[in-house]
Amino acid sequence: MSILEEASAQLLTSSATPVLACVAALLFLVFASGHLRSPKDARRGPPGPWPLPLLGNVLQLDLQWLDRSLSELAKRYGSVFSVYMGTQKVVVLAGYKAVKEALVSHAMEFGERYIQPMAYDNSRGHGIIFANGDSWKELRRFALHTLRDFGMGKRLTQDKVLEECKHLIPIFESHQGQPFNTTSPLSWATSNIICSIVYGNRFEYSDPQFTTMVKRNNESIRIFGSLPIRLYNMFPWLFYWVKNRKLLLSNRDKNMKDVRELLRQRKEKLNPEMCTGLVDCFFVRKQKEEEEGVESSHFSEENMNFVVGNLFAAGTDTTSTTLQWGLLLMAKYPEMQERVHEELNKVIGNRPIDVDDRKNLPYTNAVIHEVQRFSNIVPMAILHQTTQDITFQGYFIKKGTVVVPLLTSVLYDKSEWETPNTFNPSHFLDKEGNFVTRDAFLPFSAGRRVCLGEGLARMELFLFFTSLMQHFHFTPPPGISEDELDLKPMVGFTNNPTPHRLCAVRRE
């Protein structure tokens, strides 16, 4: 039975059915009068498929692979078009030029975050990722400045990553060349980098509280993009009961409980003269504002809980997932892996990697960038909304309209990439084999809502990937050929590889 059928069955047996029927009828009238405009009126806004009452364009979309459905519609309706997710009008920006123009050239107009029902349930407007207004501005500015103070993207961060490699590599070695799933160790390693910056210390991989938090985080990000949650976001009054929503809220409560305990421990050790992480700085700022009698301070403990939770989630999943893709793609394409090994042997040898080596490793650098492009980790970015009425590329878009910057259409834009559907490191190499940047390389999005930790992620990807490649040769499990390795992602908020195992064979 489909989810819609299950929902219908519950509604038919509910005592609230007459009330819901009245609500449905009212919504139909509102929708019909306000959204099903005449063809003449429709030309004022972006074009798009004709919506059905209440359902909008849901039946015309593959909700499990929504970015692919929207990319197909872009071929018909152009780089700016509209669809209805239920009764919610959404404007989709497709292709590099449209996305860049909106998010960068019109950064203020397209710079607000649209907070979906599930996102609101999860954060209530607190933190950084799913927040707007003065609170978002103040907390983002504080987080960015503090992360930079603690070495984000600088030599201090490199030392943390290389130290973490000393813990990660033995985990890979412990499997003695036998197949294993790389998900957990890579998640632990990347999470520890953000933890060392946020809390001032790393955690052992044997710490059950730490590993459980990482596991819950990975699970929540995956199911945040699941079909039941997408249906809930479109029809919250109908799908509030779905199991995945309850699981997300349960995971949030459990992780917040663990975060509060870690914050309590940090507060007990707080030395205002010697802050060792973002949390310490937050406490000092909070105390200062309390002493000064600042009204409406955004530095509350509740906001701190969500800021820490946001950084923990964002700083773990996207980087670890990209590394998973990187190792999988190296096993899939052994000739490319061999070229990386040859370049590392020539330039690095057996000494530790240094971030300054990047300029002397053009092919390896190109491979890392192509992994980010090809894996397309956040295919629809995080939804935006307009802050005011705007005429964009000849189309009128009202204030408060939900906007999808379709990053899939940017990273796979046929007008920007020679072979967009193929893993091809040559996208980032010139004819002489030198590394070249590409304007359409926007895996971190762009504009006011560009990823807060972009600099940190770039450094981590380079150092973790090269360190692992320096020590190991990655192959499919015995009995499985490179051609049989599956590159189809799982359905989720981020594009994770299908569960798989690899062999990490120690290089001599």
Side-chain angles (χ1 to χ4, degrees):
M1 180 181 290
S2 71
I3 292 176
L4 283 170
E5 289 170 335
E6 291 178 8
S8 298
Q10 288 207 9
L11 289 175
L12 288 172
T13 58
S14 169
S15 60
T17 299
V19 175
L20 290 173
C22 293
V23 171
L26 179 61
L27 285 173
F28 173 83
L29 293 174
V30 171
F31 189 85
S33 61
H35 295 294
L36 296 182
R37 300 168 297 183
S38 69
K40 181 179 179 180
D41 289 335
R43 295 191 202 104
R44 295 172 55 193
W50 196 264
L52 294 173
L54 296 181
L55 294 177
N57 300 116
V58 169
L59 299 182
Q60 299 159 273
L61 299 170
D62 184 345
L63 296 182
Q64 288 191 310
W65 303 105
L66 189 53
D67 64 306
R68 300 180 187 181
S69 281
L70 296 177
S71 295
E72 287 299 312
L73 288 176
K75 296 176 182 178
R76 179 178 178 184
Y77 295 104
S79 59
V80 183
F81 66 95
S82 63
V83 294
Y84 282 87
M85 303 293 186
T87 59
Q88 179 73 65
K89 181 180 180 179
V90 175
V91 169
V92 181
L93 307 175
Y96 165 67
K97 292 180 180 178
V99 171
K100 186 71 177 289
E101 182 182 350
L103 300 189
V104 177
S105 301
H106 297 281
M108 293 302 296
E109 294 93 329
F110 287 91
E112 194 91 338
R113 175 73 71 223
Y114 173 64
I115 304 174
Q116 295 173 290
M118 190 68 246
Y120 183 78
D121 292 347
N122 211 48
S123 66
R124 299 289 177 181
H126 296 293
I128 298 174
I129 296 178
F130 297 111
N132 288 307
D134 292 340
S135 177
W136 167 75
K137 292 178 185 177
E138 188 71 21
L139 292 174
R140 180 183 169 90
R141 187 183 303 116
F142 166 81
L144 189 58
H145 289 173
T146 307
L147 290 174
R148 286 173 178 167
D149 288 344
F150 285 101
M152 184 177 73
K154 301 178 183 177
R155 181 68 55 176
L156 179 59
T157 305
Q158 170 174 297
D159 294 341
K160 293 179 185 294
V161 176
L162 294 179
E163 180 62 29
E164 196 61 36
C165 284
K166 295 178 181 178
H167 298 274
L168 177 62
I169 289 170
I171 296 294
F172 279 56
E173 288 177 327
S174 68
H175 294 279
Q176 300 181 334
Q178 296 302 306
F180 71 104
N181 190 320
T182 62
T183 302
S184 290
L186 289 175
S187 295
W188 299 335
T190 55
S191 180
N192 255 336
I193 303 305
I194 197 66
C195 285
S196 65
I197 295 173
V198 170
Y199 295 113
N201 60 271
R202 66 177 300 278
F203 296 87
E204 296 298 329
Y205 298 163
S206 58
D207 184 328
Q209 183 187 40
F210 171 68
T211 57
T212 300
M213 288 180 69
V214 171
K215 183 178 180 180
R216 284 196 210 108
N217 175 70
N218 290 345
E219 179 183 54
S220 292
I221 290 176
R222 178 179 58 80
I223 65 177
F224 196 87
S226 65
L227 177 59
I229 296 302
R230 284 182 173 166
L231 287 171
Y232 169 68
N233 284 330
M234 288 187 282
F235 309 102
W237 51 275
L238 183 59
F239 291 101
Y240 66 92
W241 49 268
V242 295
K243 180 180 177 181
N244 280 9
R245 176 176 178 268
K246 296 176 182 177
L247 180 56
L248 279 174
L249 295 178
S250 174
N251 281 352
R252 177 206 61 186
D253 292 343
K254 291 174 181 176
N255 268 4
M256 284 296 102
K257 181 180 178 181
D258 288 335
V259 167
R260 282 192 290 270
E261 174 58 23
L262 291 170
L263 294 180
R264 184 192 64 78
Q265 295 173 14
R266 292 303 314 166
K267 192 172 185 179
E268 289 179 351
K269 301 176 183 178
L270 181 64
N271 179 355
E273 304 300 321
M274 190 180 298
C275 294
T276 59
L278 179 141
V279 167
D280 289 356
C281 294
F282 201 108
F283 276 125
V284 171
R285 176 71 174 268
K286 181 175 181 294
Q287 289 178 358
K288 181 181 178 181
E289 292 197 351
E290 287 175 349
E291 292 169 359
E292 295 175 351
V294 175
E295 296 182 5
S296 303
S297 172
H298 302 299
F299 290 82
S300 64
E301 293 208 9
E302 188 169 22
N303 252 338
M304 177 160 53
N305 292 343
F306 281 98
V307 168
V308 170
N310 288 170
L311 293 174
F312 183 85
T316 297
D317 183 78
T318 53
T319 304
S320 64
T321 299
T322 305
L323 288 169
Q324 289 177 57
W325 277 111
L327 301 184
L328 175 62
L329 287 161
M330 290 298 93
K332 177 79 170 178
Y333 301 110
E335 69 284 357
M336 296 183 187
Q337 181 175 191
E338 185 57 32
R339 285 190 63 180
V340 171
H341 285 153
E342 289 175 358
E343 189 173 66
L344 290 173
N345 287 341
K346 180 180 178 180
V347 177
I348 308 297
N350 293 321
R351 69 170 172 82
I353 304 289
D354 188 285
V355 73
D356 290 336
D357 291 321
R358 182 158 39 194
K359 62 181 179 291
N360 298 317
L361 297 167
Y363 186 77
T364 302
N365 198 17
V367 165
I368 294 170
H369 280 69
E370 180 66 357
V371 168
Q372 290 182 268
R373 184 201 70 82
F374 183 79
S375 59
N376 184 27
I377 298 298
V378 189
M380 297 197 300
I382 303 178
L383 301 184
H384 290 232
Q385 69 178 359
T386 50
T387 59
Q388 62 187 63
D389 291 352
I390 180 174
T391 299
F392 180 74
Q393 294 195 357
Y395 298 115
F396 176 74
I397 304 173
K398 292 181 63 174
K399 175 182 178 180
T401 298
V402 181
V403 176
V404 175
L406 192 59
L407 294 188
T408 291
S409 68
V410 178
L411 298 176
Y412 283 70
D413 191 331
K414 291 182 179 180
S415 65
E416 298 290 335
W417 307 97
E418 293 76 14
T419 57
N421 297 309
T422 302
F423 180 73
N424 180 8
S426 295
H427 286 140
F428 296 93
L429 296 169
D430 63 16
K431 294 180 180 179
E432 286 72 41
N434 300 309
F435 177 80
V436 292
T437 58
R438 299 291 291 264
D439 291 340
F441 181 69
L442 297 179
F444 300 101
S445 193
R448 297 179 73 217
R449 296 286 179 161
V450 67
C451 175
L452 180 68
E454 179 178 352
L456 175 62
R458 287 180 181 272
M459 178 178 282
E460 283 188 76
L461 288 173
F462 175 76
L463 293 173
F464 276 126
F465 180 80
T466 53
S467 294
L468 290 170
M469 293 300 294
Q470 186 183 36
H471 287 84
F472 301 103
H473 178 74
F474 293 92
T475 67
I480 297 179
S481 68
E482 289 88 0
D483 292 339
E484 292 176 287
L485 289 177
D486 189 1
L487 297 183
K488 183 179 179 180
M490 290 195 302
V491 176
F493 181 71
T494 55
N495 275 342
N496 286 266
T498 299
H500 63 277
R501 297 187 302 161
L502 297 177
C503 298
V505 181
R506 182 78 190 197
R507 296 181 67 212
E508 298 299 333

